[in-house]
Amino acid sequence: MLSRISRLLIGLALYGFGCALTVAAGLGVDPWTVFAEGLSRVTGVGIGWITNIVGLAVLLLWIPLHQRPGVGTVANILLVGTTMQLALGVLPQPTHLVWQAAMLVAGVVTVAVASGLYIGAHFGPGPRDGLMTGLHARFGWPIWSCRLSVEGTVLVAGWLLGGTVGVGTVVFALGIGPLVHLALPLLAAPISPPAPRSVARV
């Protein structure tokens, strides 16, 4: 249990740090961060704090979908945006393309490793992933359709609000799936099988 909790907390903190790297790179970010960045520009609230608020708002959408949050869901809302906000306070914002590209790639890889850790801790999905699975369970839509619809909507909304869409958005979209596919089996915590029940003799 302690190992799983450590994986969860480290993974979520790394996730926030990885997202901060992609934001600081300035070449484009993932759809949900585009949305958070757009809201941040409009409201003046830090992007990390907006990420936490959006996570909480998405969690409320679980109610009509009859989804139940886990410990990992709540921890996701509290840690990812907070870590992102703190990291953005100290990370440089390079202007040379080579350093921007290096920071972008480092951010995507960090997010993939973080995903392997926190998903592999088996404490429940993050609020955004739970929204996708909830829509799938409630309406029977394919997961890819749910993800495309939701992320496409927040991407366009974030872009209209001033969020950064660019080559980094494409790199994240194409790279994160295969990288998480590699990271998850390497970093997931082993789950012990349930102890066999003893059969009472008559």
Side-chain angles (χ1 to χ4, degrees):
M1 177 64 76
L2 183 60
S3 172
R4 289 173 59 206
I5 292 174
S6 298
R7 289 170 191 262
L8 174 68
L9 298 180
I10 293 171
L12 291 175
L14 276 177
Y15 196 104
F17 180 70
C19 288
L21 285 171
T22 63
V23 172
L27 295 176
V29 291
D30 67 278
W32 282 104
T33 306
V34 171
F35 185 55
E37 191 176 31
L39 288 174
S40 177
R41 290 181 184 273
V42 171
T43 63
V45 179
I47 185 173
W49 308 132
I50 290 290
T51 297
N52 287 347
I53 294 168
V54 169
L56 180 60
V58 171
L59 183 61
L60 295 177
L61 295 177
W62 285 29
I63 297 173
L65 296 174
H66 308 295
Q67 292 282 92
R68 292 185 178 182
V71 173
T73 311
V74 178
N76 186 298
I77 294 171
L78 295 175
L79 287 179
V80 171
T82 303
T83 306
M84 186 191 305
Q85 187 67 36
L86 295 174
L88 285 171
V90 297
L91 283 172
Q93 295 186 334
T95 56
H96 195 287
L97 182 59
V98 172
W99 291 112
Q100 288 179 291
M103 185 172 281
L104 171 66
V105 171
V108 175
V109 172
T110 300
V111 168
V113 170
S115 299
L117 285 169
Y118 94 80
I119 295 173
H122 307 293
F123 277 112
R128 297 157 187 81
D129 289 331
L131 177 61
M132 314 297 176
T133 56
L135 288 170
H136 168 70
R138 183 73 175 80
F139 300 107
W141 301 340
I143 289 288
W144 68 265
S145 176
C146 297
R147 180 172 292 277
L148 181 62
S149 300
V150 173
E151 293 192 350
T153 300
V154 297
L155 176 64
V156 172
W159 176 66
L160 292 175
L161 291 170
T164 307
V165 178
V167 65
T169 310
V170 177
V171 170
F172 193 99
L174 295 178
I176 194 64
L179 288 172
V180 172
H181 180 75
L182 292 173
L184 190 55
L186 295 175
L187 300 172
I191 299 296
S192 302
R197 295 182 178 180
S198 57
V199 179
R201 295 184 179 181
V202 178

